[in-house]
Amino acid sequence: MTGFININKAEGASSAKEVSKIKKLTGVPCGHMGTLDPMASGVLPIALGNAARLFDYFLDKHKKYTAVFRFGVDSDTLDSTGNVVENVGLVPSYAEVNAILKNFEGEILQVPPKFSAKNVCGKRGYQLARAGVDFELAPKKVNIYSIELTEQINDCFTFEIECGGGTYIRSLARDIARSLDTKAVMCALKRTQSGIFKIETSVDSKSLSPENIESYIIPTESVLPFEDIFPDSFDAHKLFNGLTVYSEKPDGIYKIYKDGAFYGLAEVKQSILKVRTKLC
């Protein structure tokens, strides 16, 4: 059993717990393609079996979020789950927030939250932060494709955000507020899309059972936007025994088929074709 299940993670549930549920239902190893913090909800693609080998492919996928930032407050975790301090800055107007959003679109430098899974000298950032250790995280490049302010209710502002992998929405709340000489924390987050996986086609894990789970499995090949390669019998014998063959295809990654059935990923580099990853 291999493929993906597009889970709609509930607020308060851990990503690891959702993976554990699917593993119990399918009986195969599973892994999520990009974690969501417990306070967040929404799209959590879970890979079954060999599909988990595609983790690196999902790192840079476009993602969409609906996020709520509360202004005039601060938190050590940059969200409402931490130690929230009230009345530490002014609440800007809708127009003031909207006017500076373009400054955060494109490729920007972003410092990750200290309460994160970033590795610092062999320890997770959140482990050091909880222990009271003082440390700094280096800024990293992230891509914000679009950010739109859609609503303000008192001190809470709702945003629609499209970004690349590795973006911390909590850090975005901090940085937007800082540019307005105030503070803000993220108080709600919903991921509405991760690559091809969308909230409209997701499923709540509570509705899954051993009897219906197979109907929710998305075939691995359907999530891969690569051209197909069907090697002839001579080339196939070499390729599927670990050898390489000549190819006229341009350099790149391809979906490769064995005896007409999807097998995995292959790569062409300088006219040399080789199998890269077995996925089924």
Side-chain angles (χ1 to χ4, degrees):
M1 187 179 291
T2 186
F4 292 88
I5 294 182
N6 182 17
I7 292 296
N8 183 1
K9 188 187 86 66
E11 183 179 344
S14 75
S15 297
K17 193 169 183 179
E18 295 284 11
V19 170
S20 179
K21 289 180 185 178
I22 302 304
K23 183 178 179 180
K24 288 179 181 178
L25 286 171
T26 60
V28 299
C30 300
H32 57 69
M33 299 286 104
T35 189
L36 279 175
D37 290 339
M39 74 167 290
S41 64
V43 171
L44 182 72
I46 293 180
L48 313 180
N50 288 345
R53 297 175 181 176
L54 289 170
F55 179 78
D56 288 345
Y57 167 75
F58 282 86
L59 287 178
D60 295 324
K61 283 296 177 189
H62 284 210
K63 298 175 182 180
K64 292 183 179 180
Y65 296 91
T66 299
V68 180
F69 301 161
R70 184 184 173 206
F71 283 78
V73 298
D74 199 8
S75 165
D76 53 353
T77 61
L78 304 184
D79 63 31
S80 57
T81 67
N83 297 313
V84 176
V85 182
E86 304 277 349
N87 302 315
V88 292
L90 297 175
V91 176
S93 68
Y94 187 101
E96 287 172 329
V97 175
N98 199 46
I100 56 90
L101 292 184
K102 287 295 181 184
N103 298 335
F104 294 91
E105 292 185 344
E107 185 177 79
I108 64 172
L109 283 174
Q110 182 185 79
V111 177
K114 288 187 176 182
F115 281 84
S116 67
K118 299 297 290 185
N119 192 293
V120 183
C121 300
K123 295 282 188 178
R124 298 294 188 184
Y126 62 81
Q127 293 175 320
L128 297 176
R130 287 171 182 165
V133 177
D134 187 28
F135 66 97
E136 297 296 330
L137 291 171
K140 54 175 286 190
K141 290 181 180 179
V142 297
N143 285 297
I144 309 294
Y145 302 112
S146 67
I147 176 168
E148 179 185 359
L149 176 59
T150 60
E151 185 180 41
Q152 177 191 0
I153 299 178
N154 299 322
D155 57 357
C156 292
F157 294 70
T158 302
F159 300 83
E160 297 294 334
I161 301 165
E162 183 175 359
C163 59
T167 303
Y168 283 95
I169 307 300
R170 288 178 285 154
S171 292
L172 197 57
R174 174 200 62 204
D175 296 341
I176 288 173
R178 182 180 293 164
S179 73
L180 294 165
D181 296 321
T182 187
K183 302 284 187 178
V185 301
M186 184 182 77
C187 57
L189 183 68
K190 183 175 185 178
R191 185 157 65 196
T192 57
Q193 185 172 341
S194 179
I196 73 155
F197 301 100
K198 299 181 179 181
I199 194 72
E200 296 83 1
T201 54
S202 63
V203 59
D204 189 321
S205 61
K206 291 181 180 179
S207 65
L208 297 175
S209 67
E211 292 73 31
N212 70 11
I213 192 166
E214 285 197 30
S215 65
Y216 289 97
I217 297 176
I218 303 166
T220 308
E221 62 183 301
S222 68
V223 310
L224 299 170
F226 303 126
E227 186 181 338
D228 299 335
I229 286 183
F230 296 87
D232 60 32
S233 58
F234 179 76
D235 285 347
H237 178 75
K238 289 185 174 182
L239 286 168
F240 299 120
N241 282 281
L243 302 177
T244 61
V245 300
Y246 171 79
S247 175
E248 295 181 349
K249 295 279 189 182
D251 284 4
I253 305 298
Y254 295 83
K255 292 187 289 188
I256 192 166
Y257 291 75
K258 181 180 181 181
D259 299 326
F262 177 64
Y263 182 85
L265 296 179
E267 181 178 22
V268 175
K269 195 171 184 179
Q270 297 181 338
S271 301
I272 299 298
L273 170 66
K274 67 176 180 180
V275 173
R276 179 171 171 173
T277 308
K278 180 180 178 181
L279 294 174
C280 65

